[in-house]
Amino acid sequence: MNSNLFFFRLYSLAENAKPTFIGNAFPIAPNGKFLTCRHVVQAVPEGARLALFDNLSQKMIEIPSSPQLPSKEAVDLALLTVPVANSYFLPILSPMKLRVGEDAYTYGYFAIGGDSNQIENGYFAGKIVNFSNANDASVAAITLPFASIEGLSGSPVLTYHNGVKLVGMIIGNRTSRVLASEVQAYKDDKVEFRETVNRIVEFGIAYHAASIVNFLAEVGLVGHVVADGRVELAGLE
């Protein structure tokens, strides 16, 4: 799998200013159809333009049309039409085939320390921890064992199920406080000293494949693939 064909950066372009990195996107259907987060595209200030950085040509491609957004404002998805003749895209795993404990991974770009001028790319992997909002297909989500670093929003979550399949898209984090250890010292059968150490654990939150399929049906997208068998698509060999 060639990462240059499936993992892309989005930028905000403004006059007399350096491009500002705002998040990730990936192809979901042929002919320049890309998926990302609503909050990513809404990070573009008024008067600026949204652009996708093409890894192969090493050039910015401005996106002239407005993103297609879900009817529910709470749904953090957006469909972009990028003016490229792109035949590469990710097939979606049939939502009912996805299980808690399944291997999942992502590859994407993120901002070091929140600085949009310092961008790195990375691979994150683990097993799906949990599902949430399973009764509402528009916002069904999966919990991941790794954090979503700032800028990673819009990255695809993948698994290997009869070939590479899309199972979700990263949208943010959930934090939880856990008790790491407790120390006690005793003197004359009474507690003389006690110390508790806590730490914060971050879990990545991604939309479930069911949410993605639901959104694509809402906007009337054609050309995407939902399957559990092997799919022969360019670039996924």
Side-chain angles (χ1 to χ4, degrees):
M1 183 179 186
N2 186 340
S3 62
N4 287 325
L5 304 177
F6 298 98
F7 308 97
F8 293 83
R9 286 165 283 173
L10 291 174
Y11 285 83
S12 171
L13 305 180
E15 297 297 333
N16 303 316
K18 291 182 178 180
T20 301
F21 169 72
I22 56 174
N24 291 259
F26 58 91
I28 196 64
N31 300 318
K33 300 298 183 181
F34 285 75
L35 197 64
T36 188
C37 295
R38 179 197 288 257
H39 80 260
V40 169
V41 297
Q42 289 181 337
V44 179
E46 185 176 353
R49 292 105 54 209
L50 178 63
L52 178 139
F53 184 79
D54 182 55
N55 301 314
L56 297 180
S57 68
Q58 293 289 292
K59 294 180 179 179
M60 292 284 185
I61 300 175
E62 291 193 28
I63 302 172
S65 58
S66 298
Q68 291 177 267
L69 302 174
S71 56
K72 294 181 180 179
E73 290 188 8
V75 179
D76 198 4
L77 289 163
L79 182 68
L80 308 176
T81 300
V82 184
V84 293
N86 182 15
S87 60
Y88 305 104
F89 65 98
L90 294 167
I92 306 167
L93 178 64
S94 301
M96 294 300 293
K97 294 294 182 178
L98 189 57
R99 299 287 184 268
V100 170
E102 190 158 355
D103 290 328
Y105 64 94
T106 191
Y107 178 92
Y109 300 89
F110 53 91
I112 302 299
D115 185 350
S116 62
N117 293 314
Q118 297 187 57
I119 307 303
E120 286 192 5
N121 52 297
Y123 172 90
F124 305 86
K127 294 183 181 297
I128 293 174
V129 174
N130 196 12
F131 296 148
S132 59
N133 302 325
N135 294 326
D136 186 349
S138 67
V139 289
I142 57 180
T143 305
L144 302 167
F146 51 83
S148 171
I149 304 173
E150 186 169 349
L152 203 59
S153 293
S155 297
V157 180
L158 307 172
T159 195
Y160 194 89
H161 184 105
N162 294 320
V164 175
K165 296 288 195 308
L166 177 77
V167 296
M169 185 192 73
I170 291 180
I171 56 174
N173 279 325
R174 189 187 76 194
T175 61
S176 181
R177 184 180 68 85
V178 298
L179 177 65
S181 63
E182 184 177 88
V183 180
Q184 293 182 334
Y186 294 88
K187 182 178 180 180
D188 297 331
D189 296 325
K190 294 181 180 179
V191 176
E192 182 73 15
F193 171 78
R194 176 172 176 169
E195 180 181 15
T196 301
V197 179
N198 297 301
R199 65 189 179 98
I200 300 297
V201 174
E202 286 189 304
F203 297 96
I205 301 298
Y207 275 136
H208 191 287
S211 296
I212 294 173
V213 171
N214 183 77
F215 169 60
L216 297 181
E218 179 185 340
V219 297
L221 182 68
V222 296
H224 62 290
V225 172
V226 181
D228 61 300
R230 185 163 186 83
V231 180
E232 300 296 336
L233 290 175
L236 290 179
E237 298 83 358

